[in-house]
Amino acid sequence: MSGRNWMLRRMLTEMVRNDPEYQDGNYPSPPRSLRIASAFFALATNGGTLAYQKVAPTMELADNYVDTQLAQPFTLDANDFLYQWAASRGYNPAPGLEQVQATVLAVNAADDERYPPETGLMERAMQHVRHGRLFLIPASEDTCGHGSSGLARFYKAELQELLLSAPRRASM
């Protein structure tokens, strides 16, 4: 956890913790900053630059999009929210990558805002996974940044190939 990804996560939690309505976690109702912080993080780190430009090519459409996001039903608990985001503090899978025995297809998107491929972090990490490879989803108006890796249509063929070619272990 590093770079802009960690910085934004840290800012996300600071926005809520520093809201006077948070009251050190003893709030009678969720602090208003929680909804804004959550919507901000989602817009900043998930959605894809080209996709957002396509749905909001004008300031008015961009404002409408933000208004719609802020009007969504919201049921998050502030303490749970802070715990979830703080849980990534200190996360580092690197020491165990050499021990991975499974065949791995790591999927990332060229427009991923949280794990931008230009940092080279994923490429370097995958060099330590014996039977692993990285598939990078090309950016387009149809991708949605960090959210693209959750949409199998972008890597269906690569996943099918992996499932057909991966060595099988004898069952016990």
Side-chain angles (χ1 to χ4, degrees):
M1 209 32 72
S2 62
R4 181 175 58 181
N5 187 349
W6 176 250
M7 290 177 205
L8 285 172
R9 289 169 189 254
R10 166 88 190 279
M11 292 300 296
L12 182 66
T13 59
E14 292 292 332
M15 281 186 254
V16 175
R17 276 195 188 96
N18 288 296
D19 184 330
E21 293 177 10
Y22 179 62
Q23 299 177 21
D24 292 322
N26 299 307
Y27 45 86
S29 60
R32 285 176 278 193
S33 65
L34 180 60
R35 175 186 295 269
I36 295 168
S38 182
F40 169 79
F41 189 77
L43 286 169
T45 69
N46 192 19
T49 301
L50 297 175
Y52 277 148
Q53 188 62 38
K54 183 178 179 180
V55 298
T58 66
M59 186 184 305
E60 293 77 20
L61 288 172
D63 281 339
N64 288 341
Y65 190 90
V66 169
D67 291 342
T68 300
Q69 298 311 303
L70 292 173
Q72 296 295 317
F74 193 78
T75 58
L76 290 178
D77 176 78
N79 288 323
D80 288 346
F81 179 84
L82 293 176
Y83 177 80
Q84 290 167 12
W85 287 106
S88 59
R89 176 183 288 284
Y91 175 70
N92 180 11
L97 293 178
E98 302 278 349
Q99 284 82 45
V100 174
Q101 295 180 22
T103 301
V104 175
L105 174 65
V107 177
N108 196 13
D111 58 351
D112 191 311
E113 302 91 346
R114 292 186 200 177
Y115 304 105
E118 59 266 24
T119 65
L121 294 172
M122 180 73 84
E123 284 180 8
R124 286 192 296 280
M126 289 306 294
Q127 291 173 359
H128 299 280
V129 178
R130 196 170 319 136
H131 304 289
R133 75 178 189 92
L134 172 62
F135 175 69
L136 189 63
I137 300 166
S140 74
E141 289 182 343
D142 297 323
T143 58
C144 50
H146 183 70
S148 298
S149 61
L151 302 170
R153 70 177 181 260
F154 292 120
Y155 54 90
K156 179 181 177 183
E158 288 74 14
L159 181 56
Q160 285 176 326
E161 177 186 324
L162 174 121
L163 293 173
L164 291 172
S165 65
R168 308 261 187 245
R169 286 191 174 189
S171 57
M172 298 186 162

